[in-house]
Amino acid sequence: MNISSILFYAISALILGGGILAVTSVKIFRAAIWLLFSLIGIAALYFWMQVEFIAAIQIVVYVGGIVVLIIFSIFLTQHSGKEMNSPTLSKKIFSALAALFGTAFVHKLIVHYDGFTYLSALPFNSNVAEIGTQMLSTTSHGFILPFEVVSMLLLAAMIGCIVIAMRPKNEIKNNSINNIENN
């Protein structure tokens, strides 16, 4: 095993470990932190594949945008130490079945499929100007629609954080009155 394989397995362990801990964590803030580690691992995988521009976009959009907004909304709602509800038995069974189905599907696809070709001998063009041109192109090989979907995702995350952070006026008045009475 060479250093590249070891690095790939370490990055994969970070992604999978962070994802599993994000889903199974009982505290909401810890789940957000584990999600952060998983997304950083995905960016590291892009760096490992030598696609630095996509790795930078991963860090800026998901790590710097989505996860930070999630963490701010957790702090603004003052639920950072609150434990989440435990999932019901039916949800646990459905999750286990979905994980087993996914594992079997990937095993069947990768191990028993002989149609994959080895393309590492071909040069990979990671020119940022060409990526930007293709990302904003409206031709059949353009990526303007996914680019717009990502911008809509960021807008929805910001609106969601604002809605979560807003408290009703009655709750604000009650908290203010309680603080005055306690002092």
Side-chain angles (χ1 to χ4, degrees):
M1 216 194 275
N2 58 10
I3 190 72
S4 180
S5 297
I6 293 171
L7 190 60
F8 173 75
Y9 288 125
I11 292 170
S12 299
L14 175 68
I15 294 169
L16 293 174
I20 289 170
L21 289 170
V23 172
T24 59
S25 181
V26 178
K27 300 219 181 241
I28 191 168
F29 181 72
R30 289 182 183 167
I33 296 299
W34 289 120
L35 175 66
L36 175 79
F37 283 125
S38 181
L39 293 175
I40 288 172
I42 292 172
L45 186 63
Y46 286 134
F47 277 121
W48 178 80
M49 293 188 301
Q50 298 178 352
V51 189
E52 291 85 9
F53 179 72
I54 303 299
I57 295 297
Q58 170 77 18
I59 290 172
V60 169
V61 172
Y62 291 105
V63 175
I66 302 294
V67 174
V68 170
L69 285 173
I70 290 171
I71 290 173
F72 280 154
S73 66
I74 290 169
F75 280 134
L76 288 174
T77 57
Q78 301 174 353
H79 295 292
S80 61
K82 185 177 178 182
E83 290 189 8
M84 295 184 283
N85 297 333
S86 179
T88 62
L89 181 63
S90 62
K91 287 183 181 179
K92 289 180 182 179
I93 291 172
F94 180 73
S95 300
L97 289 174
L100 287 173
F101 175 75
T103 303
F105 179 73
V106 168
H107 182 267
K108 176 73 174 167
L109 182 69
I110 292 175
V111 174
H112 298 290
Y113 182 69
D114 294 330
F116 290 115
T117 57
Y118 185 68
L119 299 174
S120 70
L122 298 175
F124 180 72
N125 186 7
S126 62
N127 184 2
V128 176
E130 187 171 326
I131 291 173
T133 302
Q134 203 168 16
M135 188 173 282
L136 297 175
S137 175
T138 57
T139 62
S140 63
H141 297 291
F143 295 103
I144 190 72
L145 182 63
F147 188 74
E148 291 298 322
V149 169
V150 167
S151 66
M152 294 299 290
L153 175 71
L154 286 174
L155 179 64
M158 289 189 329
I159 291 171
C161 288
I162 291 169
V163 169
I164 290 172
M166 289 177 25
R167 292 189 288 180
K169 291 182 181 180
N170 294 337
E171 185 181 328
I172 294 171
K173 286 181 184 178
N174 292 339
N175 286 343
S176 299
I177 293 170
N178 291 338
N179 288 337
I180 292 170
E181 290 174 356
N182 291 336
N183 292 332

